[in-house]
Amino acid sequence: MRDALAWAGLVLMIASGIWLDSLPREEKPIASLPSQPAEPFPVVVIDPGHGGQDSGAMCAGMLEKDLTLDVAQRLERRLQTQGLATVMTRVGDGYISLADRAALTNRVPDCVLVSIHFNEGNKPVSSGIETYYAEHQMSAGQSVVSWLPFLQRVVEEIPNEESQSLAAFVQEALVSHTHAVNRGTKAQQFFVLANVRHPAVLVEGGFMTNKEDVAKLTDVGYREEMAAAIGDGIIRYRDLLKDRHVVRPQPAAE
């Protein structure tokens, strides 16, 4: 008896659902809202290279970790005046692993990453500024792709245009502001670049093994100019993305 009642109730529920679904619905007009262009990215993650026991390159009493933090702090102040929020991977002289830097960046929903470093060359004549990007970066579905080798190959063939574009803007601005030797943009699978899901670049702001470059880096004004240049490159990249997302009015048909 109980089973019969249960089945009857189930049939009644299904019939009711079908009947409700067949009733005509009143279509309500959708309000027309003004389109507000969203910011392509509201946050910039700034990564001062090295830190703590990892001093980086050293020259004439200067440590790379101190220079990277100094430029990063100057960049942070400039970006904030432009209305961008910032996240620093380190705020003092502490050691942060590459994995932790990448993980922090990946926790930020919409951002770009700029990692700041200074070069160390085998030849003292090597000088200038260069900006790196990863040719391939991890994707949101990396764990799924890793189980399917043929998909992994497809992902690796997709060019990393966003990071490459950001690198080009930053490099161009750095050379324009500092008049340093232009070593161009280069693809390199640095861990902190390849293991983030957002556009990411790494700046090598000069050679600490070159006397002329070191002399410039000791100048506070020069480091401020570097920060201004990196900021300008980021803003120009943001403006490019904004322009791509603008819905332009179509000309009226004649």
Side-chain angles (χ1 to χ4, degrees):
M1 182 65 178
R2 291 181 180 177
D3 290 343
L5 290 174
W7 278 107
L10 179 61
V11 171
L12 181 60
M13 288 175 61
I14 294 173
S16 299
I18 295 172
W19 176 74
L20 289 172
D21 191 57
S22 66
L23 292 176
R25 293 180 174 83
E26 180 183 357
E27 297 293 338
K28 296 183 178 180
I30 299 174
S32 178
L33 299 176
S35 59
Q36 296 292 335
E39 290 292 338
F41 54 89
V43 183
V44 177
V45 177
I46 307 172
D47 176 42
H50 307 283
Q53 67 268 29
D54 177 12
S55 299
M58 295 177 281
C59 180
M62 286 197 309
L63 304 179
E64 182 182 359
K65 66 175 183 177
D66 296 332
L67 290 174
T68 61
L69 183 60
D70 179 82
V71 174
Q73 290 170 337
R74 296 174 188 277
L75 174 60
E76 180 180 40
R77 290 192 291 269
R78 285 184 170 269
L79 290 175
Q80 289 176 354
T81 63
Q82 296 283 345
L84 283 164
T86 56
V87 173
M88 297 274 281
T89 58
R90 68 178 176 97
V91 295
D93 185 21
Y95 174 77
I96 309 294
S97 71
L98 295 177
D100 285 341
R101 295 170 196 252
L104 184 153
T105 304
N106 286 328
R107 287 196 295 269
V108 181
D110 296 299
C111 69
V112 298
L113 167 71
V114 177
S115 187
I116 300 172
H117 288 257
F118 293 93
N119 245 325
E120 188 175 23
N122 295 326
K123 300 178 181 179
V125 294
S126 299
S127 68
I129 292 174
E130 55 197 10
T131 304
Y132 289 89
Y133 62 94
E135 191 171 3
H136 311 293
Q137 289 180 267
M138 71 176 293
S139 63
Q142 189 77 36
S143 58
V144 176
V145 171
S146 64
W147 288 89
L148 303 169
F150 70 94
L151 284 182
Q152 179 71 40
R153 288 194 297 272
V154 171
V155 169
E156 289 180 353
E157 290 172 0
I158 299 174
N160 186 9
E161 294 179 353
E162 290 83 3
S163 294
Q164 186 174 2
S165 180
L166 175 58
F169 279 119
V170 169
Q171 178 69 15
E172 181 182 2
L174 277 165
V175 173
S176 176
H177 278 254
T178 66
H179 306 291
V181 174
N182 185 1
R183 297 176 63 88
T185 61
K186 302 174 183 178
Q188 186 70 41
Q189 293 300 102
F190 291 128
F191 186 95
V192 76
L193 300 182
N195 289 277
V196 298
R197 294 189 291 267
H198 307 289
V201 299
L202 185 148
V203 172
E204 291 282 6
F207 281 76
M208 297 189 67
T209 46
N210 180 277
K211 291 182 179 179
E212 287 76 14
D213 283 6
V214 170
K216 294 176 183 177
L217 294 173
T218 58
D219 181 8
V220 171
Y222 184 83
R223 297 199 301 272
E224 186 68 34
E225 201 63 39
M226 283 191 64
I230 297 171
D232 286 354
I234 293 170
I235 297 300
R236 288 188 61 197
Y237 173 71
R238 183 189 65 174
D239 292 343
L240 171 70
L241 295 183
K242 277 185 178 181
D243 189 59
R244 284 179 180 174
H245 289 86
V246 169
V247 178
R248 304 188 185 282
Q250 296 297 319
E254 296 182 358

